[in-house]
Amino acid sequence: MNVLLEKLKEVLISVVPIIILVLVLNFTIIPMEPLLVFRFLLGALLIVLGLAIFLFGVDIGISKIGTLMGGALTKSNRLWIVVVAGLLLGFFISIAEPDLHILAGQVDIVTSGVISKLSIVVVVSIGIAVMLTSGLVRIIYNIPLYKLLTVLYLFILGLSFFTSSEFLAISFDASGATTGALTVPFMLALALGVSSLKKDGKASEKDSFGLVAVTSTGAIIAVMIMSILSKQDEITGSLQESVQTSSSLLAPFIDKLPVIAFEIFVALLPIILLFFVFQKVSFKISPKAYRKVLKGLVYTFVGLVLFLTGVNAGFMEVGSRIGYNVALLDNKWIIIAIGFILGLVVILAEPAVYVLTHQIEDVTSGYVKRPVVLIALSIGVAFAVSLSMIRILIPGLQLWHFLLPGYVVSILMMYFVPKLFVGMAFDAGGVASGPMTATFILAFAQGAAEAIEGANVMVDGFGVIAMVAMTPIIALQTLGFIFKMKSVKEGLKENEA
């Protein structure tokens, strides 16, 4: 119970800044109808409760299963077992990710069914399966992460010249959507399980990061190849789904709850079934530990359902309304400042960010402190959102004008920063673009794009997540530089002494 209260306190500190920001905007420059504000506050309450319960469940459930599976795969010492298990795990975990279904549904609507929801889900999941397997093989065979990422991103760069601008945004978005609240804790634990059985302690510390980074490139590559093969060029459309503004406070929550509960149940099912199979064949953990893991899975389910219901029913509409109304103000540049502040605070409420920052602190034995990583992440995402607003305001600016130099800088930095930070930074890119960003920030950007003339909701709306996935990579590698300088200085002082 104490652990749960501790999580609750932690989550509360993270979500309160968003609540304050929205209320300040409501009472100053963008007054909203009271019903919308009350719905937002109810959503915030569900987010706080849900996130605390979810994180508690992940600690004793999902993370435990991932670590056990990683260990079991490494112990088998057979490459074919790792490959087959990697392909199956990657495919089913991706197919089950709720964020991916939301994205695929939007693509289906916007392209008027030319690219069906099913085709996006299957194509992305195949990409994820192949790259998750590559990531596991990389850890076992000690292939340097920075070399693998350089090859992958150069390949993506090559493909991008043949990909339409709409698909460029969707492909990076798909990479963000597949690294959701459920998949990230599982992948981090899987990498930790595989790397912890390696003899070299220093290498295992480095290898416990980077799996999320390698895996998420699978989604980008898969969608780009799909774009090239399907020869879809011009796709236009409005993403503003007809929001039925309900006159009831609770109606949107009641509508969303069963849908989200079913989605999360389906998302957890493959992991639960794999756990049952592995328990019979390989784990054979004690009945007490077995019950604890099952309890963790129940907590994960309840927490995630509450969290996503709060986000979808309480937050999304407010995000869209703020973006739309701020963009209508005479001084258009206010939206850049608000975007910056939103980026700073929203990242703190991302479920997977918690899991990653705690793992960074644990793996480095407290050398890299959690608050330091959070500050770097916040600043990175703040720049991502404000740059996206500049892109919406200036019609000539395109997504690749930011992504191309951004990823070139990221890849060059890999060769100079401590290798531990490379895995952390690229993982953080996938982690930052979770459900909170995919709903609140995306709705904010779409609202702004809808209100500003000359902005294309399809390209500008989707591109935000691609930006949010890129800037943390630069921010955390910069942090790596700072740590490197610090340790060099400390080394000099020791030598002088």
Side-chain angles (χ1 to χ4, degrees):
M1 206 61 211
N2 281 351
V3 183
L4 198 54
L5 285 172
E6 197 55 46
K7 298 265 185 228
L8 202 59
K9 201 170 87 182
E10 218 175 328
V11 170
L12 205 56
I13 294 166
S14 303
V15 180
V16 164
I18 305 173
I19 300 170
I20 292 170
L21 177 65
V22 171
L23 290 178
V24 167
L25 288 173
N26 176 54
F27 291 119
T28 52
I29 53 176
I30 326 162
M32 291 177 278
E33 49 267 40
L35 184 70
L36 202 59
V37 177
F38 283 126
R39 209 178 282 156
F40 168 77
L41 291 172
L42 181 58
L45 178 68
L46 289 179
I47 284 170
V48 170
L49 287 174
L51 194 46
I53 295 167
F54 167 75
L55 292 168
F56 181 62
V58 163
D59 280 357
I60 59 173
I62 296 277
S63 293
K64 185 79 180 149
I65 296 173
T67 312
L68 285 168
M69 275 187 193
L73 291 180
T74 315
K75 271 185 196 150
S76 73
N77 224 351
R78 290 195 183 95
L79 180 64
W80 71 268
I81 291 182
V82 175
V83 169
V84 171
L87 289 171
L88 287 172
L89 279 174
F91 187 77
F92 286 115
I93 289 169
S94 172
I95 276 229
E97 180 56 56
D99 286 6
L100 179 60
H101 286 266
I102 295 166
L103 173 78
Q106 285 181 326
V107 175
D108 193 334
I109 293 163
V110 167
T111 59
S112 310
V114 174
I115 296 145
S116 69
K117 178 178 173 177
L118 182 68
S119 63
I120 287 265
V121 171
V122 171
V123 165
V124 168
S125 298
I126 291 168
I128 292 289
V130 172
M131 294 319 298
L132 178 73
T133 309
S134 313
L136 291 174
V137 170
R138 176 200 80 78
I139 297 173
I140 291 165
Y141 287 100
N142 283 328
I143 300 162
L145 177 67
Y146 69 99
K147 288 182 181 172
L148 179 59
L149 285 175
T150 305
V151 171
L152 289 172
Y153 277 101
L154 284 174
F155 183 52
I156 287 169
L157 178 64
L159 288 175
S160 68
F161 291 114
F162 305 98
T163 310
S164 69
S165 59
E166 290 84 0
F167 265 101
L168 189 66
I170 294 169
S171 62
F172 278 92
D173 222 33
S175 144
T178 45
T179 46
L182 255 184
T183 44
V184 170
F186 186 76
M187 281 186 213
L188 286 171
L190 195 62
L192 196 62
V194 173
S195 60
S196 61
L197 280 182
K198 286 167 61 176
K199 307 292 174 281
D200 180 357
K202 198 74 191 144
S204 85
E205 185 180 273
K206 280 207 304 267
D207 287 333
S208 49
F209 302 105
L211 183 62
V212 175
V214 172
T215 305
S216 59
T217 60
I220 304 175
I221 293 167
V223 175
M224 284 183 164
I225 291 172
M226 183 182 175
S227 157
I228 295 162
L229 296 178
S230 68
K231 296 187 170 57
Q232 279 293 326
D233 273 346
E234 278 306 303
I235 311 171
T236 51
S238 169
L239 267 183
Q240 287 305 93
E241 291 166 20
S242 51
V243 182
Q244 299 291 317
T245 310
S246 169
S247 55
S248 154
L249 175 68
L250 296 173
F253 294 93
I254 295 161
D255 291 344
K256 295 269 190 236
L257 190 69
V259 179
I260 289 170
F262 178 71
E263 277 180 354
I264 303 303
F265 176 71
V266 171
L268 276 170
L269 203 57
I271 296 173
I272 295 168
L273 292 176
L274 282 165
F275 173 57
F276 288 155
V277 171
F278 270 79
Q279 167 65 5
K280 278 267 181 284
V281 178
S282 168
F283 299 161
K284 298 186 171 61
I285 54 175
S286 69
K288 190 183 173 189
Y290 181 69
R291 281 196 301 274
K292 193 176 178 186
V293 170
L294 290 181
K295 197 166 84 176
L297 289 170
V298 173
Y299 278 121
T300 304
F301 172 76
V302 173
L304 207 47
V305 170
L306 289 176
F307 174 81
L308 288 175
T309 306
V311 169
N312 286 292
F315 267 44
M316 213 160 175
E317 206 180 332
V318 168
S320 183
R321 186 70 60 89
I322 291 173
Y324 190 82
N325 289 355
V326 174
L328 288 177
L329 295 173
D330 291 335
N331 186 350
K332 295 277 183 272
W333 300 101
I334 291 179
I335 199 161
I336 298 170
I338 290 175
F340 188 86
I341 300 165
L342 261 182
L344 271 179
V345 296
V346 164
I347 190 72
L348 301 174
E350 276 294 0
V353 166
Y354 269 77
V355 183
L356 178 71
T357 49
H358 276 295
Q359 184 160 322
I360 288 173
E361 200 168 65
D362 291 348
V363 169
T364 62
S365 309
Y367 177 64
V368 183
K369 296 274 187 293
R370 196 172 160 264
V372 177
V373 179
L374 272 179
I375 290 165
L377 269 177
S378 279
I379 294 169
V381 175
F383 274 106
V385 182
S386 50
L387 286 172
S388 298
M389 293 305 117
I390 294 172
R391 193 168 58 84
I392 292 171
L393 288 171
I394 302 169
L397 276 180
Q398 288 184 15
L399 182 63
W400 68 267
H401 292 160
F402 293 100
L403 290 187
L404 183 62
Y407 276 105
V408 167
V409 168
S410 303
I411 289 164
L412 289 174
M413 287 175 88
M414 287 196 296
Y415 289 84
F416 303 102
V417 299
K419 295 297 168 267
L420 175 65
F421 280 90
V422 173
M424 279 183 207
F426 276 85
D427 276 2
V431 165
S433 49
M436 203 67 181
T437 315
T439 49
F440 197 64
I441 299 275
L442 188 59
F444 174 71
Q446 284 171 1
E450 195 76 14
I452 290 169
E453 236 160 86
N456 176 349
V457 182
M458 173 80 192
V459 179
D460 297 322
F462 273 139
V464 180
I465 296 187
M467 293 289 289
V468 169
M470 178 191 72
T471 49
I473 301 174
I474 298 173
L476 278 192
Q477 290 197 96
T478 307
L479 188 66
F481 268 129
I482 296 165
F483 268 87
K484 195 177 179 180
M485 301 293 182
K486 198 175 124 187
S487 55
V488 167
K489 270 186 189 166
E490 280 170 5
L492 286 173
K493 274 181 192 162
E494 276 169 26
N495 290 342
E496 283 165 12

